[in-house]
């Protein structure tokens, strides 16, 4: 299904702009989701580096920190 040159000219210019905007919007949402998951990964790595005293300061035990850091870095 390819468009002929005449069909492209007959298509309203606004329709092309709307399609481009929607594609850009989807791309931004995808990048934001990936960024969020990478931030969770960084946070979990930092959590694994904390000492027992630092964990106690934030109200976590070593077991809780280990459970959190063992989660999948991408899907959760």
């Amino acid at each position: 299904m390819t468009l002929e040159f005449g069909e492209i000219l007959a298509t309203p210019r606004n329709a092309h702009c709307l399609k481009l905007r929607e594609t850009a919007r989807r791309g931004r949402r995808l990048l934001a989701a990936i960024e969020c998951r990478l931030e969770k990964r960084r946070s979990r790595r930092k959590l694994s580096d904390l000492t027992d005293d630092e964990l106690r300061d934030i109200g976590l035990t070593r077991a809780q920190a280990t459970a959190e850091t063992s989660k999948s870095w991408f899907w959760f």
Side-chain angles (χ1 to χ4, degrees):
M1 179 177 167
T2 60
L3 292 176
E4 297 295 325
F5 185 70
E7 291 174 314
I8 293 172
L9 290 177
T11 305
R13 185 177 188 97
N14 193 25
H16 293 296
C17 290
L18 290 175
K19 194 169 201 171
L20 183 60
R21 284 186 191 136
E22 179 59 30
T23 302
R25 192 175 305 122
R26 287 180 182 175
R28 285 191 300 271
R29 283 196 308 251
L30 176 63
L31 288 175
I34 291 171
E35 183 178 310
C36 178
R37 283 162 174 81
L38 290 174
E39 179 59 33
K40 285 183 181 183
R41 180 183 184 202
R42 282 189 290 272
S43 297
R44 287 180 177 147
R45 280 188 172 181
K46 289 179 183 178
L47 185 63
S48 68
D49 292 337
L50 295 178
T51 65
D52 288 336
D53 289 334
E54 292 169 327
L55 288 171
R56 192 171 28 256
D57 286 344
I58 61 172
L60 292 176
T61 65
R62 176 60 58 192
Q64 290 170 320
T66 302
E68 185 63 28
T69 57
S70 66
K71 289 182 180 178
S72 171
W73 69 271
F74 191 78
W75 300 113
F76 297 103

